[in-house]
Amino acid sequence: MAPPILSLKEINLHWGANPILDALEMHIGTTDRLCLVGRNGTGKSTLMKVIAGIIEPDGGERWVQPGSRIAYLPQEPDASGYHTLKDYILGGLPEDERDQDYRADVLIEDLDINGTASPGTASGGEMRRAALARTLIGEPELLLLDEPTNHLDINTIQWLEAFLKGWRGAMVLISHDRAFLANLATACLWLDRGRVRRLDDGFAKFEEWQDKVYAEEADALKKLDKVIKEETRWSVEGISARRTRNQGRLRRLYDMRKERRNTVQAAGQVNISLAGADRSGTRVIEARGIAKSFDGRPLFEGFDIRINRGDRIGIIGPNGVGKSTLLKVLTGELAPDAGSIKLGTNLESILIDQKRAALREDMTVIDVLTGGRGDWVFVGGESKHVMSYLKDFLFDPSVAHTPVHALSGGERNRLLIAANFAKPSNLMVLDEPTNDLDMDTLDLLQEVLADYKGTILLVSHDRDFLDRVVTSSIVMEGDGNATEYPGGYSDYRALKALAEKDAEPVRTEKPKSNVSNIADAPKKKASKLSYKDQRELDQIPAEVETLSMKISDMEAELSDPDLYAKNPNRFASLSKELETLRDTVDEKEMRWLELEELRESLGQ
């Protein structure tokens, strides 16, 4: 058996009194493709720096095979001291190879980097691509990549995947991108409570294995005292339970995609919408022929879409293609250059983009969630005690009075999600929410979105996250077009491949007879709606208006704070009847949409 390229033995590292790495041992083979996984705050990045030789442990031995080169990509690359991005990239070459500029030129072209740009003016995405090029250029025997896909678009992530699949050395990857890890890792290192466990199988098997380990620990914990069980219950019970729930949510998502697939077609004129209590009308956004250009370059033209209540729409495309611009046009923040946007009634929107600007350093966790007003959070029309709400978002209640500045980055992200979700809304806009999120927080965000009763607009480069969340995808490929596909990213790729295959010329044999089969003859299409359908189409708006007035009257009566105390039976019957009327309005609106689409397809 060949010796490892690197070994760690009895590694100990403490921050204050807390052990980060505890008698840790691990070995990396010369061709290993490892993913390093673990809950947020367990020390994955710290361990990666120990492997790279950047951090000196408190004790233990680090051994590297003589002559082996190691390259490390940090989460936050530092290019200070370099005049251009090309200079920074060339800094990754060994001293005796610094004259081989062509190696930088190849990576600059592949990664679409402006090599003459100053690092101080580079965007986050370009700085990340330059840091990748610097890490790869020296062709090391061991590659250490800490969150390499952060701030990269899908095209660049796929390029990196293809590049690393051809890599002949060893690699260790930290990433929240499940698809990236599943496509590359052949073994998993699990950092948990200061120690590393190894699974000699791909990332796709990791979560099942992790659940098995947790279950075995749970059985063992029954023999220990109550205090220890309470301290470890978060890691043993929470993840497995949440994952089980998410499987059911995924099944519901597939049903929603099937329903959305039947509605992805050209938009038509709509004049009907209902403002329900604490929810939007059935029609949330209608775009007809919208276009937007930037510096004379068309980002999208002639785009039509109807977004109904409950839809979850993903927006996909390379960096700079105009995804955020389309998002702003659809939500009314920007006016289109051409076409029209109609927003539904009673819309209350929130934006989650993980900038953390809303988190004041001096505020405590409980103040962020309650606004400093007591111990209760109002969520989805119900009051919830803040301690219970904290548990929903993976916080131990003991952190309730902890100031924001003392939280880790992952904890701040979770707190921001919790604070936003507590706000009343029926339209959630997420612009790159997955950047810098660990897997536990991604799971949590997925769970929150699965329970969300409103409409979701999502821009993301995380393929797995898109597959788990959205019901349809708007794809922008940089050609000035935006196209809607039912389903997530994988569905889009499959449908596009099928369309390209269908577009290929097909050779057909000359028919042996010119006698047509009557059964195969095309049936004559109707030229207009039937009298019954046209009459129903004309009557529905008035019916909905009548029902809406009745709903408003009932809502006004139910808003009386004394009604329940004075007449609980009346309160109960009104509530039940109100829900029935709302369902009736929904059904009539959907029927109106079906008939309107049928009318348009007939050219009326």
Side-chain angles (χ1 to χ4, degrees):
M1 183 176 178
I5 191 172
L6 183 144
S7 291
L8 300 179
K9 296 181 179 179
E10 295 293 322
I11 296 294
N12 292 289
L13 184 65
H14 292 73
W15 283 351
N18 299 319
I20 302 300
L21 306 176
D22 184 14
L24 181 144
E25 294 202 15
M26 61 174 288
H27 309 280
I28 301 174
T30 55
T31 58
D32 274 348
R33 296 167 173 266
L34 306 170
C35 62
L36 177 58
V37 296
R39 298 192 70 182
N40 186 57
T42 54
K44 298 187 296 296
S45 293
T46 300
L47 175 56
M48 190 76 98
K49 291 176 182 177
V50 171
I51 297 172
I54 295 171
I55 290 180
E56 187 74 24
D58 298 331
E61 178 186 350
R62 173 181 178 268
W63 178 86
V64 181
Q65 194 176 108
S68 298
R69 291 181 295 182
I70 299 174
Y72 165 66
L73 173 72
Q75 282 196 39
E76 298 180 2
D78 180 10
S80 58
Y82 292 93
H83 294 295
T84 66
L85 290 180
K86 182 174 181 179
D87 292 337
Y88 172 63
I89 294 168
L90 287 170
L93 282 171
E95 289 288 343
D96 59 345
E97 298 175 7
R98 291 288 172 90
D99 59 336
Q100 299 181 21
D101 287 24
Y102 69 91
R103 290 162 68 174
D105 294 334
V106 172
L107 288 168
I108 284 172
E109 182 177 356
D110 287 342
L111 287 165
D112 191 24
I113 300 167
N114 180 2
T116 62
S118 166
T121 62
S123 66
E126 190 163 40
M127 193 65 241
R128 171 62 57 165
R129 297 197 300 275
L132 269 173
R134 177 187 172 93
T135 308
L136 301 173
I137 193 172
E139 300 178 0
E141 283 74 25
L142 175 57
L143 197 57
L144 307 174
L145 304 178
D146 193 349
E147 294 290 1
T149 64
N150 269 359
H151 308 288
L152 299 184
D153 60 31
I154 290 178
N155 290 355
T156 308
I157 292 172
Q158 290 179 325
W159 176 91
L160 181 59
E161 277 184 8
F163 186 93
L164 294 179
K165 283 179 180 178
W167 190 261
R168 289 181 289 183
M171 68 178 74
V172 182
L173 310 169
I174 297 175
S175 179
H176 65 266
D177 189 324
R178 283 182 165 87
F180 185 75
L181 295 182
N183 290 336
L184 289 173
T186 57
C188 304
L189 299 175
W190 178 20
L191 179 60
D192 181 44
R193 287 161 283 182
R195 296 174 180 254
V196 166
R197 296 179 175 92
R198 176 164 174 150
L199 171 67
D200 285 311
D201 210 331
F203 178 74
K205 299 288 186 180
F206 169 73
E207 290 178 337
E208 178 183 351
W209 172 65
Q210 182 189 44
D211 286 344
K212 182 180 178 182
V213 172
Y214 277 147
E216 292 171 352
E217 286 193 2
D219 290 338
L221 284 171
K222 292 178 181 178
K223 302 176 182 179
L224 301 179
D225 61 74
K226 183 178 180 180
V227 174
I228 296 177
K229 283 198 298 183
E230 286 299 317
E231 288 180 348
T232 58
R233 185 155 52 94
W234 293 98
S235 61
V236 174
E237 297 176 1
I239 294 176
S240 300
R242 188 168 67 255
R243 189 173 298 125
T244 300
R245 291 196 301 271
N246 281 346
Q247 293 306 311
R249 290 181 167 96
L250 281 174
R251 286 191 291 271
R252 292 198 300 274
L253 174 62
Y254 297 147
D255 292 338
M256 292 169 68
R257 284 182 180 167
K258 183 177 180 181
E259 181 180 346
R260 179 68 183 172
R261 188 178 300 117
N262 294 328
T263 65
V264 175
Q265 49 190 292
Q269 183 68 29
V270 176
N271 297 309
I272 183 172
S273 187
L274 169 69
D278 295 324
R279 62 178 182 175
S280 69
T282 298
R283 178 61 45 83
V284 176
I285 299 170
E286 180 192 2
R288 290 178 60 87
I290 60 171
K292 193 71 178 178
S293 298
F294 181 74
D295 285 344
R297 178 174 66 92
L299 301 177
F300 49 87
E301 295 178 304
F303 180 58
D304 299 337
I305 191 171
R306 284 176 177 155
I307 300 175
N308 294 329
R309 183 175 62 235
D311 285 345
R312 297 146 188 246
I313 310 297
I315 303 179
I316 303 171
N319 283 339
V321 79
K323 300 185 300 298
S324 295
T325 300
L326 176 59
L327 192 66
K328 291 177 180 178
V329 170
L330 288 176
T331 55
E333 184 177 344
L334 281 179
D337 297 338
S340 63
I341 292 286
K342 290 185 179 180
L343 301 180
T345 57
N346 201 32
L347 289 182
E348 294 184 72
S349 63
I350 58 173
L351 170 67
I352 298 180
D353 63 359
Q354 302 306 323
K355 290 182 179 178
R356 306 179 191 166
L359 298 180
R360 279 191 7 228
E361 295 287 308
D362 59 332
M363 294 180 72
T364 65
V365 170
I366 193 171
D367 287 340
V368 170
L369 295 178
T370 66
R373 298 185 297 272
D375 298 327
W376 295 87
V377 182
F378 192 73
V379 183
E382 299 179 357
S383 293
K384 196 165 192 176
H385 196 275
V386 69
M387 295 303 180
S388 175
Y389 195 60
L390 281 171
K391 289 182 180 180
D392 291 341
F393 286 83
L394 311 182
F395 286 104
D396 189 304
S398 63
V399 306
H401 298 286
T402 301
V404 168
H405 67 77
L407 300 178
S408 68
E411 288 171 330
R412 292 188 186 200
N413 284 332
R414 271 186 278 137
L415 180 59
L416 187 64
I417 293 170
N420 273 287
F421 195 61
K423 298 175 184 176
S425 72
N426 47 41
L427 174 61
M428 189 178 293
V429 181
L430 302 101
D431 194 354
E432 298 286 5
T434 64
N435 279 340
D436 304 311
L437 295 188
D438 59 272
M439 285 188 187
D440 284 341
T441 308
L442 278 174
D443 281 346
L444 178 65
L445 182 56
Q446 178 200 335
E447 183 172 348
V448 167
L449 297 182
D451 287 338
Y452 188 61
K453 296 179 175 61
T455 305
I456 296 170
L457 298 181
L458 165 67
V459 174
S460 179
H461 297 301
D462 190 319
R463 295 159 292 175
D464 180 81
F465 189 73
L466 287 163
D467 282 344
R468 290 169 179 260
V469 171
V470 305
T471 55
S472 69
S473 304
I474 301 171
V475 179
M476 305 175 70
E477 297 181 328
D479 56 359
N481 292 315
T483 306
E484 186 183 7
Y485 292 84
Y489 178 80
S490 298
D491 298 299
Y492 145 65
R493 294 296 301 175
L495 289 168
K496 184 179 179 183
L498 184 62
E500 291 172 347
K501 183 178 180 181
D502 290 343
E504 294 176 357
V506 179
R507 296 182 61 185
T508 56
E509 295 183 5
K510 185 177 180 180
K512 296 179 180 180
S513 170
N514 59 5
V515 178
S516 299
N517 187 328
I518 296 176
D520 294 334
K523 297 179 180 179
K524 184 178 180 181
K525 294 183 179 180
S527 59
K528 62 179 182 178
L529 289 178
S530 68
Y531 173 80
K532 179 181 177 181
D533 286 345
Q534 184 63 56
R535 180 174 174 79
E536 186 179 6
L537 178 65
D538 294 338
Q539 290 178 339
I540 287 178
E543 293 173 355
V544 168
E545 184 177 357
T546 300
L547 290 170
S548 299
M549 293 175 62
K550 189 172 182 180
I551 287 172
S552 296
D553 292 340
M554 296 172 68
E555 289 173 341
E557 186 175 354
L558 283 169
S559 66
D560 181 357
D562 299 325
L563 176 62
Y564 182 80
K566 293 178 179 177
N567 193 343
N569 292 333
R570 174 63 176 167
F571 183 90
S573 63
L574 266 179
S575 299
K576 185 176 180 180
E577 186 180 356
L578 179 62
E579 192 62 32
T580 300
L581 286 180
R582 285 173 174 168
D583 290 341
T584 301
V585 168
D586 285 348
E587 292 170 3
K588 287 187 175 294
E589 286 185 328
M590 293 309 298
R591 176 57 178 163
W592 186 91
L593 294 175
E594 292 171 3
L595 292 170
E596 177 65 14
E597 287 168 356
L598 177 60
R599 184 189 65 78
E600 289 179 358
S601 69
L602 297 175
Q604 287 185 259

